[in-house]
Amino acid sequence: MEAPECPVCLQSYDGECSVPRVLACGHTACEECLTNLPKKFPDTIRCPACTVLVKFPLQGPSALPKNIDLLRLFPSVSQIKLESGRNFKKPVEFVTRSWSDDFYATWKDRILVHDAVSVENGEGEISDLASSSRLFGSLKNDSKVSLLRVASFELDDCDSVLKYSYVQRMMSCLWGLKDEERDELEKIISIMQRGVSKVFGLWGDLKNGVLYLVGEKLIEFPWEEFDSLTDDDASRLGIVGMQICEALLNLHKEGVISGCLSVSCVKFDEFENAYVDLIELMETGRNVCRIIAEETKSLRKPVDASEMDSLLVGLLQKGIFMSSEFLFELLKEQNMLVKNDSSKSLVSYSADVWPVCFLLLKLRLGNRFTKELIESVDAKGREESIEDLLVLYTGITEKLCLESELQGKFKLMVEILRQCCCIDPQARPVLTDLWKCNRDLVMNPRFNSMRGLHKKIPGKRKEFCLALSELCHLVEVESKELEEASPGMKTGGKAEEGKVDIDFLGRLSEGKVKSKDIRGHQDSVTALAVGGGFLFSSSYDKTILIWSLKDFSHVHTFKGHQDKVMAVIHIEGAKPVCISGDGGGGIFVWSTTVPMEDQPLRKWYEPKDWRYTGIHALAYSEYGHVYSGSGDNTIKAWSLQDGSLVCTMSGHKSVVSTLVVLNGVLYSGSWDGTVRLWSLSDHSLLTVLGEETPGIVRSILSLAADDQTLVAAYQNGDIQIWRDDTLMKSTKIQIGAILSIVVNGKWLFTGGWDKTINVQELSGDEISLDCTHVGSIPCASVITSLSYCEGKLFAGFADKTIKVYYCGC
């Protein structure tokens, strides 16, 4: 047998160097470790074995008794069951969630708040926004933005009573995207480079169920001002050309290749600096994919020169320029080429040289450039055959008479522009060469000292072509399809190819959140308890009703209270009982063994004084004590066996409104705004929480605890969350008093005066904690009590009803 060892330092006890000392909870640790353990509160320490707060002597661990029996049984020590009494049954989720905490942490800051963007429309009409791919809007600070549609999510007209929060629905929508699409979105949002427009994040249009990418809206490029530039305008052309090259080079640093460009991709800021618009780049890529897909439907396989002619003319008429390898890659995806193999894409950084070259020619020659280019393509297409397909695309600049048009200062650009249209990507100049060519129009080459520019992109990173990305291949869902699609319809697996899967919510949970009404009380419901296969509900009507958890039918009624019943709990055991407390100080113990009796097993009453206002809360400990929180500011411990008063715990300055027992500690919440922790072994005060803000009194109306998490709900709609007695979170989650709160694992439910049940999800670690609003359940009345068990949420209301919320198909 292994020698017994300290649970902290794992050193074997020897009675000399490692002396075992016994704590009040019964566990043992060595004297040195107990000395070094952190002490957050005076005269208390947290047991390193069971994590229960226990009293710690002022003299230190030497004042604690030695574990003599442990030293005597040195060869064989029974293993201490640290987790005795805990339920290891896997909890049933109220709403199952697909994504992880890491996924939420990655995307939460990339989602703009729901009222961050106001949508605009050029014609003032907003009825057709659901079918629009591109929209414009503004932020709260009146900054203009452009919106690009990414995906669709379910509208708020589903049959689920739980109305999911904005963030939750956006997370579900993002989770429904493919991994490649999310990776590309993350890459685009994270780009912060000079000369590239900003992307602020993602925003969901709740009215139309569309998720948009929100980007900076810049000034449209004034192409008419660049029509037929003279030599005197060479410097301006050179500056714009340099800025376009710099923007694309910065994109290359991020591992992003544009693939194709259009005149709309270049914008100006207020200082007349040229920018490359990321949103327009993606829209251009979508337009190319859409044009190719539409044109190839009626074309033969493989395409011939005349059909290629039609494709090129269609793209050029829309002002879209692309490299040969990019066009071939698109046709390969459509199975429209002679050699349709699965080889690696040929699209690389050099693919951006070609469209930049054409943009510069467009700047220099104006509208005549596009007209002559189209005529050149038509003429070449009539002359060439399918075998000369490459010649068709690479020879389109030969008839533009560049030498005659680009005279004077522009003549220096002729040779490098010709090289940019080379069919071999390796033989083309790089963007830095184009940048230098444009700079020569601005300054004298003899002042050139920029020797640090080189062709190689530094660093090894994952790269992708923006125009060939998964986001550009998304097929838009028309508004008609959105209207006809059933919100609750299941896809049964992978979405049909070519359509956006809008049933993200269906994948979020196993089913819709349904509800069932339970009626029987004649007045407001005050408390709920679950146990022994039953639901117990108390009411102002002085009764306790018992309901079956199988079909929620009424089983029995406990009558006998002379005052309104304020609290009810259920105690499991060999002889299960239900305990109820009323506003007159009466505590009744009822047997819940079937068949149930009409009379209580025993009852007793609290002594009254002039401050007395009845019992507000009940709790039970494994020591056989029933605890009552009273209007006289005290907590009383009663023997369940005979109802005798064991002790009275004083300290609160107002009504004790709520009690919770967990891990050997009694937590009491009061209208004085504090939470007091009491030892269950000797009923001594361990510490006080909530005194950090003196002068500010917020009455605590409900407490909930689970494992090492304690949550307090206040009358002003705030909650505070502690872990290991350290305040981790303080936030307002609803308007008005929170009358009841329940925590179960990661789920947190609150209800109160605002007639809404809010569902929060807790996540994080010992350093930080997040409380995420998952959704809300609108109700018709004030929520007075909540209880949660095995994936079902029970709610009591002021209008006499009880509702059961559960996941159903």
Side-chain angles (χ1 to χ4, degrees):
M1 300 291 292
E2 295 183 1
E5 57 187 24
C6 172
V8 180
C9 63
L10 303 181
Q11 297 296 317
S12 299
Y13 298 123
D14 55 14
E16 297 179 1
C17 297
S18 182
V19 181
R21 297 288 180 177
V22 183
L23 296 171
C25 61
H27 292 128
T28 301
C30 74
E31 186 173 315
E32 183 178 359
C33 289
L34 291 176
T35 304
N36 297 326
L37 283 177
K39 302 171 182 61
K40 297 181 180 179
F41 307 103
D43 305 328
T44 60
I45 194 172
R46 190 170 288 280
C47 172
C50 64
T51 69
V52 169
L53 277 177
V54 295
K55 283 291 184 180
F56 193 71
L58 292 174
Q59 301 87 343
S62 59
L64 294 171
K66 287 185 180 180
N67 195 332
I68 304 299
D69 292 335
L70 188 61
L71 294 175
R72 288 177 179 174
L73 298 176
F74 185 86
S76 176
V77 179
S78 299
Q79 182 181 1
I80 301 175
K81 297 181 180 180
L82 302 180
E83 302 295 333
S84 58
R86 291 194 179 184
N87 184 12
F88 289 93
K89 184 179 179 181
K90 185 178 180 181
V92 180
E93 301 287 2
F94 183 70
V95 178
T96 57
R97 189 191 68 176
S98 302
W99 59 84
S100 63
D101 292 340
D102 292 338
F103 179 85
Y104 172 77
T106 300
W107 288 99
K108 66 175 183 177
D109 295 330
R110 292 179 166 89
I111 298 176
L112 304 179
V113 295
H114 66 91
D115 60 347
V117 179
S118 59
V119 177
E120 301 174 358
N121 193 330
E123 299 178 358
E125 298 291 336
I126 59 174
S127 59
D128 61 343
L129 295 185
S131 61
S132 301
S133 175
R134 282 294 312 282
L135 292 174
F136 299 102
S138 60
L139 299 178
K140 287 183 176 180
N141 59 2
D142 294 331
S143 299
K144 299 299 181 180
V145 294
S146 57
L147 309 177
L148 181 70
R149 183 175 187 154
V150 174
S152 301
F153 55 88
E154 189 170 294
L155 296 176
D156 195 21
D157 58 351
C158 61
D159 58 351
S160 174
V161 295
L162 175 64
K163 305 304 178 184
Y164 289 93
S165 68
Y166 168 78
V167 174
Q168 186 83 358
R169 293 165 69 183
M170 296 308 104
M171 286 291 174
S172 302
C173 185
L174 286 170
W175 184 256
L177 298 177
K178 294 187 292 187
D179 292 340
E180 296 82 359
E181 294 167 353
R182 287 198 301 268
D183 291 342
E184 292 169 2
L185 272 179
E186 185 176 6
K187 169 71 74 175
I188 292 169
I189 295 174
S190 63
I191 293 176
M192 300 290 291
Q193 291 288 348
R194 187 180 64 178
V196 181
S197 65
K198 297 178 183 178
V199 176
F200 300 108
L202 296 161
W203 174 74
D205 180 5
L206 295 179
K207 182 179 180 180
N208 298 286
V210 180
L211 180 67
Y212 289 103
L213 193 65
V214 182
E216 180 182 19
K217 187 177 185 296
L218 299 170
I219 302 172
E220 294 293 334
F221 198 95
W223 291 101
E224 63 280 356
E225 297 182 12
F226 285 83
D227 197 5
S228 300
L229 292 176
T230 65
D231 288 353
D232 296 334
D233 300 317
S235 297
R236 189 181 182 190
L237 173 62
I239 291 174
V240 173
M242 288 173 61
Q243 291 172 339
I244 295 174
C245 293
E246 289 171 3
L248 292 177
L249 284 170
N250 287 330
L251 283 179
H252 290 179
K253 292 178 183 179
E254 298 287 343
V256 177
I257 305 169
S258 66
C260 63
L261 290 171
S262 67
V263 293
S264 61
C265 293
V266 181
K267 301 290 177 62
F268 273 168
D269 66 2
E270 63 270 25
F271 302 107
E272 296 189 356
N273 294 310
Y275 275 71
V276 171
D277 193 325
L278 272 179
I279 300 296
E280 286 290 348
L281 273 178
M282 295 185 61
E283 179 67 12
T284 299
R286 289 188 176 183
N287 287 335
V288 171
C289 294
R290 189 180 299 112
I291 292 172
I292 297 295
E294 291 176 355
E295 292 291 339
T296 52
K297 288 180 181 178
S298 59
L299 299 183
R300 295 169 294 177
K301 297 182 181 180
V303 295
D304 58 19
S306 61
E307 293 168 335
M308 178 65 73
D309 172 26
S310 176
L311 285 176
L312 292 177
V313 170
L315 294 171
L316 292 173
Q317 286 175 341
K318 296 183 178 296
I320 300 174
F321 310 114
M322 67 180 70
S323 63
S324 57
E325 59 267 34
F326 177 68
L327 178 61
F328 298 150
E329 192 68 29
L330 286 173
L331 292 175
K332 186 173 69 175
E333 291 181 358
Q334 300 290 333
N335 299 323
M336 301 303 293
L337 292 183
V338 178
K339 297 181 179 180
N340 180 29
D341 54 23
S342 58
S343 60
K344 185 179 179 181
S345 172
L346 297 175
V347 177
S348 62
Y349 294 116
S350 61
D352 284 344
V353 177
W354 194 321
V356 172
C357 164
F358 275 56
L359 273 178
L360 294 176
L361 289 172
K362 172 75 173 178
L363 283 173
R364 174 62 185 90
L365 302 176
N367 294 329
R368 187 171 67 258
F369 169 75
T370 304
K371 181 180 179 181
E372 294 183 1
L373 191 59
I374 293 175
E375 293 175 355
S376 177
V377 171
D378 287 337
K380 203 70 178 179
R382 288 190 294 269
E383 296 173 3
E384 305 297 340
S385 62
I386 187 61
E387 289 77 16
D388 298 318
L389 188 61
L390 299 183
V391 178
L392 166 66
Y393 200 64
T394 57
I396 56 179
T397 59
E398 293 181 0
K399 293 189 176 182
L400 294 179
C401 303
L402 295 178
E403 290 87 347
S404 61
E405 293 289 342
L406 300 177
Q407 297 297 326
K409 294 182 180 180
F410 298 109
K411 190 173 182 179
L412 298 175
M413 300 178 63
V414 173
E415 188 60 32
I416 193 169
L417 292 178
R418 283 184 176 277
Q419 296 174 11
C420 289
C421 298
C422 181
I423 190 61
D424 183 6
Q426 302 299 324
R428 297 175 194 158
V430 293
L431 277 177
T432 51
D433 294 330
L434 269 179
W435 182 89
K436 292 176 183 178
C437 179
N438 283 276
R439 186 199 47 195
D440 291 344
L441 297 176
V442 181
M443 64 171 56
N444 195 317
R446 66 189 184 91
F447 293 110
N448 180 11
S449 60
M450 307 296 290
R451 302 184 184 275
L453 292 175
H454 51 82
K455 298 181 179 181
K456 186 177 180 181
I457 301 297
K460 183 68 176 178
R461 63 173 66 237
K462 183 179 179 181
E463 58 188 55
F464 75 96
C465 177
L466 196 60
L468 287 174
S469 63
E470 295 289 337
L471 295 175
C472 288
H473 283 72
L474 284 175
V475 177
E476 302 295 338
V477 179
E478 300 298 333
S479 57
K480 182 178 180 180
E481 295 176 353
L482 284 173
E483 294 173 359
E484 295 177 352
S486 173
M489 181 179 60
K490 295 282 185 178
T491 58
K494 186 176 180 181
E496 183 180 351
E497 185 176 0
K499 292 186 178 181
V500 178
D501 180 9
I502 64 171
D503 192 20
F504 300 125
L505 192 60
R507 293 211 303 270
L508 170 66
S509 62
E510 294 178 350
K512 303 297 181 183
V513 176
K514 305 285 188 177
S515 67
K516 181 178 179 62
D517 289 350
I518 303 177
R519 301 182 184 274
H521 283 293
Q522 302 303 311
D523 208 334
S524 174
V525 179
T526 57
L528 297 172
V530 178
F534 301 106
L535 170 67
F536 302 87
S537 60
S538 61
S539 171
Y540 281 170
D541 64 9
K542 307 176 184 179
T543 65
I544 301 100
L545 300 185
I546 300 93
W547 313 86
S548 171
L549 290 181
K550 293 182 178 179
D551 55 5
F552 307 116
S553 60
H554 178 252
V555 176
H556 193 75
T557 301
F558 291 144
K559 297 180 180 180
H561 284 281
Q562 299 302 311
D563 209 323
K564 54 188 178 183
V565 185
M566 301 296 295
V568 62
I569 59 174
H570 183 267
I571 302 173
E572 303 284 356
K575 295 181 178 179
V577 295
C578 170
I579 303 178
S580 54
D582 63 38
I587 300 176
F588 288 41
V589 180
W590 312 85
S591 172
T592 58
T593 303
V594 180
M596 299 181 187
E597 302 292 336
D598 292 332
Q599 298 299 319
L601 294 176
R602 66 190 68 89
K603 61 182 178 180
W604 63 87
Y605 290 85
E606 282 190 319
K608 300 181 180 180
D609 61 21
W610 64 275
R611 298 171 300 175
Y612 185 77
T613 56
I615 293 174
H616 290 254
L618 291 172
Y620 175 75
S621 77
E622 58 187 6
Y623 293 96
H625 296 150
V626 176
Y627 300 94
S628 60
S630 304
D632 62 1
N633 308 345
T634 67
I635 303 108
K636 297 179 177 66
W638 310 86
S639 170
L640 179 61
Q641 189 67 27
D642 56 11
S644 60
L645 180 63
V646 177
C647 74
T648 299
M649 291 166 274
S650 302
H652 280 295
K653 299 177 182 179
S654 188
V655 173
V656 179
S657 55
T658 176
L659 298 172
V660 172
V661 170
L662 185 70
N663 294 336
V665 176
L666 170 66
Y667 299 86
S668 61
S670 169
W671 290 0
D672 64 12
T674 65
V675 179
R676 292 179 176 260
L677 281 64
W678 312 85
S679 171
L680 292 182
S681 58
D682 58 4
H683 299 125
S684 60
L685 178 65
L686 296 173
T687 188
V688 181
L689 306 177
E691 291 184 325
E692 297 84 0
T693 54
I696 300 177
V697 179
R698 298 175 298 172
S699 297
I700 295 177
L701 303 183
S702 182
L703 284 178
D706 183 31
D707 197 12
Q708 301 302 318
T709 301
L710 174 69
V711 186
Y714 295 84
Q715 66 174 4
N716 63 346
D718 290 353
I719 62 168
Q720 287 193 337
I721 306 175
W722 289 271
R723 278 190 175 170
D724 293 337
D725 310 317
T726 300
L727 182 62
M728 304 291 291
K729 192 81 173 179
S730 180
T731 182
K732 178 181 286 291
I733 61 173
Q734 68 181 51
I735 301 174
I738 301 176
L739 300 181
S740 185
I741 188 169
V742 174
V743 60
N744 185 278
K746 65 181 181 181
W747 297 110
L748 179 66
F749 305 92
T750 61
W753 280 102
D754 67 351
K755 301 181 182 180
T756 301
I757 300 175
N758 289 299
V759 184
Q760 315 285 332
E761 185 177 10
L762 303 179
S763 61
D765 49 30
E766 63 276 3
I767 299 177
S768 63
L769 182 141
D770 285 325
C771 184
T772 308
H773 180 51
V774 175
S776 58
I777 303 175
C779 305
S781 180
V782 173
I783 298 98
T784 57
S785 54
L786 293 171
S787 183
Y788 183 83
C789 181
E790 297 184 355
K792 296 181 179 65
L793 178 66
F794 304 90
F797 296 91
D799 65 356
K800 314 174 189 179
T801 63
I802 301 171
K803 283 182 178 288
V804 184
Y805 300 97
Y806 58 95
C807 280
C809 297

PDB file of all heavy atoms in Angstrom, residues 651-662:
ATOM      1  N   GLY A 651     -26.958  38.396  12.272  1.00  0.00           N
ATOM      2  CA  GLY A 651     -25.940  39.173  11.587  1.00  0.00           C
ATOM      3  C   GLY A 651     -26.507  40.021  10.470  1.00  0.00           C
ATOM      4  O   GLY A 651     -26.029  41.131  10.213  1.00  0.00           O
ATOM      5  N   HIS A 652     -27.520  39.512   9.803  1.00  0.00           N
ATOM      6  CA  HIS A 652     -28.145  40.295   8.734  1.00  0.00           C
ATOM      7  C   HIS A 652     -28.899  41.484   9.325  1.00  0.00           C
ATOM      8  O   HIS A 652     -29.418  41.423  10.445  1.00  0.00           O
ATOM      9  CB  HIS A 652     -29.106  39.422   7.929  1.00  0.00           C
ATOM     10  CG  HIS A 652     -28.420  38.551   6.923  1.00  0.00           C
ATOM     11  ND1 HIS A 652     -27.736  39.054   5.848  1.00  0.00           N
ATOM     12  CD2 HIS A 652     -28.329  37.191   6.850  1.00  0.00           C
ATOM     13  CE1 HIS A 652     -27.239  38.054   5.138  1.00  0.00           C
ATOM     14  NE2 HIS A 652     -27.576  36.908   5.717  1.00  0.00           N
ATOM     15  N   LYS A 653     -28.988  42.557   8.564  1.00  0.00           N
ATOM     16  CA  LYS A 653     -29.621  43.789   9.020  1.00  0.00           C
ATOM     17  C   LYS A 653     -31.016  43.971   8.449  1.00  0.00           C
ATOM     18  O   LYS A 653     -31.648  45.000   8.686  1.00  0.00           O
ATOM     19  CB  LYS A 653     -28.749  44.975   8.638  1.00  0.00           C
ATOM     20  CG  LYS A 653     -27.364  44.926   9.263  1.00  0.00           C
ATOM     21  CD  LYS A 653     -26.498  46.083   8.792  1.00  0.00           C
ATOM     22  CE  LYS A 653     -25.096  45.992   9.381  1.00  0.00           C
ATOM     23  NZ  LYS A 653     -24.228  47.113   8.920  1.00  0.00           N
ATOM     24  N   SER A 654     -31.470  42.978   7.668  1.00  0.00           N
ATOM     25  CA  SER A 654     -32.813  43.057   7.116  1.00  0.00           C
ATOM     26  C   SER A 654     -33.315  41.641   6.868  1.00  0.00           C
ATOM     27  O   SER A 654     -32.650  40.653   7.237  1.00  0.00           O
ATOM     28  CB  SER A 654     -32.814  43.885   5.829  1.00  0.00           C
ATOM     29  OG  SER A 654     -34.135  44.118   5.375  1.00  0.00           O
ATOM     30  N   VAL A 655     -34.445  41.532   6.213  1.00  0.00           N
ATOM     31  CA  VAL A 655     -35.103  40.244   5.984  1.00  0.00           C
ATOM     32  C   VAL A 655     -34.174  39.269   5.274  1.00  0.00           C
ATOM     33  O   VAL A 655     -33.510  39.628   4.296  1.00  0.00           O
ATOM     34  CB  VAL A 655     -36.379  40.453   5.154  1.00  0.00           C
ATOM     35  CG1 VAL A 655     -36.993  39.117   4.762  1.00  0.00           C
ATOM     36  CG2 VAL A 655     -37.386  41.283   5.925  1.00  0.00           C
ATOM     37  N   VAL A 656     -34.108  38.043   5.763  1.00  0.00           N
ATOM     38  CA  VAL A 656     -33.361  36.976   5.096  1.00  0.00           C
ATOM     39  C   VAL A 656     -34.287  36.385   4.043  1.00  0.00           C
ATOM     40  O   VAL A 656     -35.240  35.671   4.361  1.00  0.00           O
ATOM     41  CB  VAL A 656     -32.886  35.905   6.091  1.00  0.00           C
ATOM     42  CG1 VAL A 656     -32.126  34.806   5.361  1.00  0.00           C
ATOM     43  CG2 VAL A 656     -32.019  36.529   7.174  1.00  0.00           C
ATOM     44  N   SER A 657     -33.998  36.675   2.786  1.00  0.00           N
ATOM     45  CA  SER A 657     -34.940  36.374   1.701  1.00  0.00           C
ATOM     46  C   SER A 657     -34.668  35.067   0.987  1.00  0.00           C
ATOM     47  O   SER A 657     -35.554  34.529   0.325  1.00  0.00           O
ATOM     48  CB  SER A 657     -34.909  37.511   0.672  1.00  0.00           C
ATOM     49  OG  SER A 657     -33.577  37.729   0.211  1.00  0.00           O
ATOM     50  N   THR A 658     -33.458  34.525   1.102  1.00  0.00           N
ATOM     51  CA  THR A 658     -33.123  33.330   0.325  1.00  0.00           C
ATOM     52  C   THR A 658     -32.009  32.555   1.008  1.00  0.00           C
ATOM     53  O   THR A 658     -31.106  33.155   1.623  1.00  0.00           O
ATOM     54  CB  THR A 658     -32.712  33.730  -1.112  1.00  0.00           C
ATOM     55  OG1 THR A 658     -32.287  32.566  -1.830  1.00  0.00           O
ATOM     56  CG2 THR A 658     -31.590  34.745  -1.106  1.00  0.00           C
ATOM     57  N   LEU A 659     -32.053  31.219   0.901  1.00  0.00           N
ATOM     58  CA  LEU A 659     -31.069  30.322   1.515  1.00  0.00           C
ATOM     59  C   LEU A 659     -30.655  29.254   0.517  1.00  0.00           C
ATOM     60  O   LEU A 659     -31.490  28.748  -0.255  1.00  0.00           O
ATOM     61  CB  LEU A 659     -31.627  29.637   2.769  1.00  0.00           C
ATOM     62  CG  LEU A 659     -32.032  30.527   3.946  1.00  0.00           C
ATOM     63  CD1 LEU A 659     -32.738  29.697   5.008  1.00  0.00           C
ATOM     64  CD2 LEU A 659     -30.816  31.231   4.544  1.00  0.00           C
ATOM     65  N   VAL A 660     -29.360  28.892   0.537  1.00  0.00           N
ATOM     66  CA  VAL A 660     -28.841  27.821  -0.305  1.00  0.00           C
ATOM     67  C   VAL A 660     -27.804  27.042   0.507  1.00  0.00           C
ATOM     68  O   VAL A 660     -26.964  27.657   1.181  1.00  0.00           O
ATOM     69  CB  VAL A 660     -28.190  28.369  -1.595  1.00  0.00           C
ATOM     70  CG1 VAL A 660     -27.495  27.241  -2.353  1.00  0.00           C
ATOM     71  CG2 VAL A 660     -29.226  29.015  -2.491  1.00  0.00           C
ATOM     72  N   VAL A 661     -27.857  25.723   0.430  1.00  0.00           N
ATOM     73  CA  VAL A 661     -26.864  24.860   1.082  1.00  0.00           C
ATOM     74  C   VAL A 661     -26.061  24.163  -0.001  1.00  0.00           C
ATOM     75  O   VAL A 661     -26.628  23.550  -0.918  1.00  0.00           O
ATOM     76  CB  VAL A 661     -27.529  23.830   2.001  1.00  0.00           C
ATOM     77  CG1 VAL A 661     -26.523  22.791   2.468  1.00  0.00           C
ATOM     78  CG2 VAL A 661     -28.159  24.517   3.203  1.00  0.00           C
ATOM     79  N   LEU A 662     -24.727  24.247   0.094  1.00  0.00           N
ATOM     80  CA  LEU A 662     -23.864  23.603  -0.894  1.00  0.00           C
ATOM     81  C   LEU A 662     -22.482  23.388  -0.308  1.00  0.00           C
ATOM     82  O   LEU A 662     -21.896  24.304   0.281  1.00  0.00           O
ATOM     83  CB  LEU A 662     -23.761  24.451  -2.164  1.00  0.00           C
ATOM     84  CG  LEU A 662     -22.980  23.828  -3.330  1.00  0.00           C
ATOM     85  CD1 LEU A 662     -23.756  22.655  -3.922  1.00  0.00           C
ATOM     86  CD2 LEU A 662     -22.695  24.861  -4.420  1.00  0.00           C
TER      87      LEU A 662
END
